[in-house]
Amino acid sequence: MQASLPVQEYLSMPFEQTQKQTEIARHLPPPLYVLFVQANAYGQACDKNLSVSINGDVDEAKALSKPPEDSQDDESDSDAEEEQEKTKRRRATTGGQLEEKRREMLKHHPLSVCVDLKCKDGSVLHLYFFYLMNLNIMTVKTKVTTPTDFSTAISAGDLLSSYTLLNCLYVGDQGKETPNPANRYQFDKVGIVSFADYVGQLGHPYMWVQNLGGLHFPSDGSESVCVGSSLSASHMEATMKFLRARVQSRLALQKQFASLEHSIIPVSSECQNLVPAKIITRLARWTTTTYQDYLELPYTKHVTDAGLAKESDLYFMGVVERGTARLYAAVVMSPRYPEIAPLFSVSLSWKGERTGRTDDNLRAIEGEVNMFKHELQGPRPGHQLFTNQMARLCMCLDVYLETEGQDDSVEGPREFPREKMCLRTVRGPNRLKPFKYNHPQGFFSHR
């Protein structure tokens, strides 16, 4: 076997390694074993870029599965009782005991399963699955490695973090609370208010993680019940595709944010027809913001009132300017981008403050950026959508400023000379401006 190692490596058939892993797999708890078997089977049958391994202390796992020796039971019980009595007398409070009980309750199995998903660009998503023995749930932690180091954008800090990367992979699955109803009663006994406080330490108990391990917890909406390997197999393929798509969309956003922080809005060659060759409005600033700060902005109230801004979303602020005009754009980005388009709310600081609630043309700009996903998506799967929206925002501000009426009492050249060709500068009682760009003729018209 030792002499055949080079041949195994050359033929990509690591028999010895597989044999060792299979031997260790015998000591996995049932949910991790189901995950290990099903992920291996899926990798061999459908996805050569998926690899599975087992990490952790095998000796400790073996010790867990050994039954205790009967001869020592009586002595150990009496010793334990004496020790407990001493402890009770010594401690006036139960704080230390509670903390010990919490630690014991949240203990995970010494073995874990690692699934590595390699993407086309060479990046790898590492998924580390753990099993919490006393809670009977599984959790996952993540890490992404890339072939080359990106010029790290400050605003992209949360995009690949383990805390937010896999948020809402399936609709509404935030992975903050335990899916096992029995855990609520266990938590009450040891004073745990919310599992969310321990997510950073233990990993996220997403529902899809339970499914991959064959764990099923009935809920009000569940109709069919399938458990074990069949449940895992039914979710494996779709989940792996979602995971890959999520990593690729986040890496694309990370590159785009790096450009935005240098005031460059990248527009791919396939999307050049969406905007004119010359846009004078430029991006002045791009930063990340928080959910609370977003709620406090006066021009985002219509978004929050409609329930379109959730705590699980990502929030950003962009500032685009031309001359003395400055446009502020607050952006809500769903974790499921590009399936769900980013949502822009704008406020213009020029001759006073204007928003989409007070200015029909600013509302029209919001509509141009937010509503026409089918135009702005670009080549599938649509990773260019966000930067195309940013480019359209700059283009619309150009049109807005250039079609404003000139004050005849002011002498000298116009601050914003008309460079865009428009069929009509305004239309209708709302005096709406022509924001639709017509390629290849190069003129602007009303929708």
Side-chain angles (χ1 to χ4, degrees):
M1 186 64 82
Q2 191 68 29
S4 70
L5 284 178
V7 181
Q8 292 180 41
E9 192 177 331
Y10 181 75
L11 296 175
S12 301
M13 299 170 77
F15 292 116
E16 189 181 24
Q17 189 184 349
T18 307
Q19 199 174 9
K20 283 179 183 173
Q21 291 280 293
T22 308
E23 182 63 30
I24 298 171
R26 291 171 49 215
H27 305 289
L28 287 171
L32 287 181
Y33 183 76
V34 168
L35 170 68
F36 175 76
V37 171
Q38 290 298 330
N40 250 326
Y42 175 72
Q44 288 172 20
C46 308
D47 193 341
K48 300 301 178 192
N49 291 320
L50 181 149
S51 59
V52 190
S53 59
I54 302 171
N55 302 328
D57 190 330
V58 183
D59 294 332
E60 198 180 332
K62 286 178 182 175
L64 273 179
S65 56
K66 273 185 187 173
E69 294 179 20
D70 296 337
S71 60
Q72 295 176 353
D73 277 0
D74 297 336
E75 291 176 30
S76 60
D77 285 349
S78 59
D79 289 348
E81 283 171 15
E82 283 177 32
E83 187 62 36
Q84 202 169 8
E85 284 300 317
K86 284 180 189 173
T87 309
K88 280 181 182 173
R89 286 197 298 271
R90 199 162 50 239
R91 288 178 182 158
T93 65
T94 57
Q97 288 175 308
L98 269 180
E99 188 57 41
E100 186 61 38
K101 283 181 180 176
R102 279 191 207 116
R103 270 202 300 271
E104 186 60 32
M105 183 174 286
L106 299 173
K107 202 171 176 184
H108 62 70
H109 193 275
L111 294 179
S112 61
V113 172
C114 175
V115 176
D116 291 342
L117 272 176
K118 190 179 282 187
C119 301
K120 287 178 183 174
D121 59 359
S123 56
V124 183
L125 172 63
H126 307 278
L127 299 159
Y128 304 98
F129 294 92
F130 302 92
Y131 176 63
L132 305 185
M133 298 177 285
N134 296 316
L135 300 181
N136 188 32
I137 58 171
M138 283 171 59
T139 61
V140 67
K141 289 184 178 181
T142 61
K143 182 185 170 189
V144 177
T145 55
T146 53
T148 54
D149 288 335
F150 289 120
S151 52
T152 308
I154 299 166
S155 56
D158 284 342
L159 291 179
L160 294 177
S161 77
S162 182
Y163 201 78
T164 60
L165 177 63
L166 302 183
N167 203 359
C168 297
L169 193 70
Y170 287 87
V171 180
D173 191 1
Q174 296 185 32
K176 288 185 178 177
E177 291 301 333
T178 167
N180 187 349
N183 295 160
R184 182 69 269 150
Y185 301 98
Q186 292 173 284
F187 291 166
D188 289 343
K189 287 183 179 179
V190 295
I192 293 176
V193 179
S194 169
F195 188 81
D197 300 332
Y198 299 90
V199 157
Q201 171 193 344
L202 301 170
H204 288 77
Y206 295 112
M207 188 57 78
W208 57 266
V209 175
Q210 319 310 318
N211 291 336
L212 293 187
L215 291 171
H216 178 79
F217 303 108
S219 61
D220 297 337
S222 64
E223 296 170 5
S224 61
V225 178
C226 63
V227 290
S229 294
S230 57
L231 176 67
S232 177
S234 65
H235 283 80
M236 185 65 68
E237 185 168 9
T239 302
M240 292 304 153
K241 285 179 179 174
F242 285 156
L243 287 168
R244 265 212 181 82
R246 174 62 59 88
V247 172
Q248 288 171 336
S249 71
R250 290 296 172 90
L251 289 173
L253 280 175
Q254 194 175 38
K255 289 178 184 173
Q256 291 167 8
F257 284 5
S259 296
L260 294 179
E261 287 185 7
H262 290 91
S263 299
I264 299 166
I265 300 175
V267 178
S268 65
S269 55
E270 299 96 336
C271 303
Q272 292 292 343
N273 62 318
L274 296 173
V275 291
K278 186 179 182 184
I279 298 178
I280 301 170
T281 295
R282 67 178 197 89
L283 178 66
R285 192 168 77 241
W286 177 255
T287 56
T288 182
T289 186
T290 64
Y291 176 59
Q292 291 304 325
D293 290 343
Y294 182 88
L295 293 181
E296 290 168 13
L297 294 170
Y299 54 93
T300 60
K301 192 172 184 303
H302 61 296
V303 176
T304 51
D305 287 350
L308 298 174
K310 305 180 187 69
E311 203 168 348
S312 56
D313 294 331
L314 302 167
Y315 294 88
F316 303 95
M317 277 294 297
V319 180
V320 296
E321 56 185 32
R322 178 176 173 183
T324 56
R326 178 171 282 197
L327 185 78
Y328 297 88
V331 184
V332 184
M333 188 168 289
S334 166
R336 305 186 72 197
Y337 171 90
E339 184 185 336
I340 298 173
L343 196 59
F344 285 67
S345 303
V346 300
S347 168
L348 180 63
S349 177
W350 181 60
K351 297 180 180 178
E353 292 291 328
R354 314 178 190 193
T355 70
R357 315 287 69 78
T358 59
D359 186 323
D360 287 329
N361 279 299
L362 283 181
R363 188 183 303 175
I365 289 177
E366 285 182 355
E368 284 291 326
V369 175
N370 292 329
M371 290 171 59
F372 300 100
K373 180 185 172 181
H374 61 284
E375 289 179 18
L376 297 168
Q377 192 166 13
R380 289 183 66 84
H383 294 155
Q384 302 297 323
L385 170 62
F386 170 63
T387 48
N388 290 342
Q389 286 178 298
M390 289 295 295
R392 178 167 282 189
L393 183 69
C394 293
M395 176 191 82
C396 287
L397 183 60
D398 269 357
V399 174
Y400 181 98
L401 297 171
E402 289 177 21
T403 53
E404 278 291 289
Q406 169 78 351
D407 186 355
D408 295 331
S409 63
V410 179
E411 293 184 2
R414 293 169 62 103
E415 184 186 1
F416 307 112
R418 192 168 295 171
E419 298 191 3
K420 306 288 184 293
M421 186 167 60
C422 306
L423 295 184
R424 295 168 66 186
T425 54
V426 291
R427 187 184 72 181
N430 293 345
R431 312 293 286 166
L432 288 178
K433 300 171 186 288
F435 293 117
K436 182 185 177 185
Y437 177 65
N438 295 271
H439 179 83
Q441 295 88 351
F443 64 85
F444 285 81
S445 63
H446 292 85
R447 285 204 179 262

